[in-house]
Amino acid sequence: MGMSGNILGLLFFLGYNEFFDSPKEKRLVRENAQILSQYEIMEKKLDQVHNVLSDLQQRDENIYRVIFQADSIPSSIRLAGFGGINRYEQLENLTNSDLVINTARQLDIAMKQLYVQSKSYDEIVELAKNKDQLIRCTPAIMPISNNDLTRTASGWGWRIHPIYKIKKFHEGMDFTASTGTDVYATGDGVVSAIIESGTGYGNHIEIDHGYGYKTLYAHLSEFKVKVGQHVKRGDVIASVGNTGTSTAPHLHYEVSVRGVKQNPQHYYFQEDLTADEYERMIHISSNSNQTFD
Ligand SMILES: [Zn+2]
């Protein structure tokens, strides 16, 4: 009797535990549910953080870094993860480990991206402080005094090569002018190369403006600067000529940004050029079918 009473007691105890939680357990269950719903809210908020971050990155990459000619930050760096050790091993045995690990991971990624983004802004701020210098160095005038816009003979685009008579992409702009006409530096910079040649560009000068900008002045008759010389926008650097592969006296002018040739037309911001004149120049330069090269 006593024994069966003990067994009954044991069964009762086990049954009670099975079906009725103690007050402490009830509290823990309630807290667990609350924590779980908090994690779900955090996960949603982290999604929003990632959206905002991605928007900041887009603007940084496509506007700020472009304006200040800063190198692009590759997405491999922006979105870099954490290689090597498993940072979340201690979270793997939890009931809701997927949710907890994912939240922890999202938070780590957001923090890392924020760090990269904040470094980028530091760099942009420095560049913005030197904005005046950047503006002075950017090629921004025509390399030849342009009172008569017919001097813009041929611009950027596919043209018939004057000597080889084949279609060739013209990567600069030609300004026809008589031999001896002054050639101006189009932005502040350092003369990085002076080359004498009987072919191709002929006698030509290259100016390094910093911030990734370089300009090239070709077919010159005379150099008026030396390699390493600092020049200011508007300084006379050379005289127009007919050297190299050229059919008539003219200046062939190129602008490049980090080694990629640009349409020079986008780099004329002269105040003395009215909208009409600018339109006319573009019209002339894009309709001329043959370059002087
Ligand atoms: Zn040319």
Side-chain angles (χ1 to χ4, degrees), residues 154-155 162 170-175 201 218-219 245 250-254 291-293:
S154 184
H170 190 238
E171 295 182 308
M173 197 174 263
D174 289 342
F175 296 84
Y201 287 135
H219 311 300
T245 311
H250 80 287
L251 174 77
H252 171 93
Y253 172 63
E254 290 182 6
T291 63
F292 294 82
D293 225 46

